[in-house]
Amino acid sequence: MADAPDRIRIDKWLWHARFCKTRALAQELVSGKRVRVNGARIDKPGRVVGPGDVLTLRIGTDLRLVRVLDCGIRRGPASEAQSLYEPLDPTP
């Protein structure tokens, strides 16, 4: 995406990438210390992330490991959201 910023707030990125249904839920996820950026636990929804950052997300009982590929400019369809990250989860 040519117009996408270089860095974006983690709560906004989680919402754009469709890991959370609302931005408020994304903020709760981060504030609940269930997100790591490059291995470091974070608790501030305003923390910025950008391409190359590796996120570890604990959503319910699921553990997701993803690499940020793009920041995005909106919360678009699922196909657009999936282009924002690369899953690094081990295959079952």
Side-chain angles (χ1 to χ4, degrees):
M1 294 184 190
D3 297 335
D6 292 337
R7 311 281 288 163
I8 190 170
R9 289 174 55 112
I10 183 77
D11 61 334
K12 196 170 182 180
W13 187 88
L14 289 167
W15 180 61
H16 282 187
R18 294 182 167 264
F19 284 102
C20 298
K21 287 186 177 187
T22 65
R23 229 172 122 185
L25 288 174
Q27 290 170 348
E28 285 180 28
L29 185 71
V30 175
S31 296
K33 298 182 181 179
R34 294 178 291 191
V35 178
R36 290 178 183 258
V37 177
N38 299 323
R41 183 173 287 161
I42 63 167
D43 61 359
K44 304 278 189 221
R47 165 72 157 80
V48 293
V49 294
D53 286 334
V54 175
L55 308 179
T56 306
L57 312 169
R58 190 168 40 95
I59 304 172
T61 58
D62 294 335
L63 188 63
R64 299 290 313 267
L65 186 63
V66 298
R67 177 176 289 118
V68 177
L69 298 177
D70 197 4
C71 294
I73 54 174
R74 67 185 184 128
R75 181 178 166 92
S79 59
E80 185 177 314
Q82 290 171 349
S83 71
L84 299 179
Y85 63 92
E86 170 189 8
L88 301 175
D89 301 324
T91 54

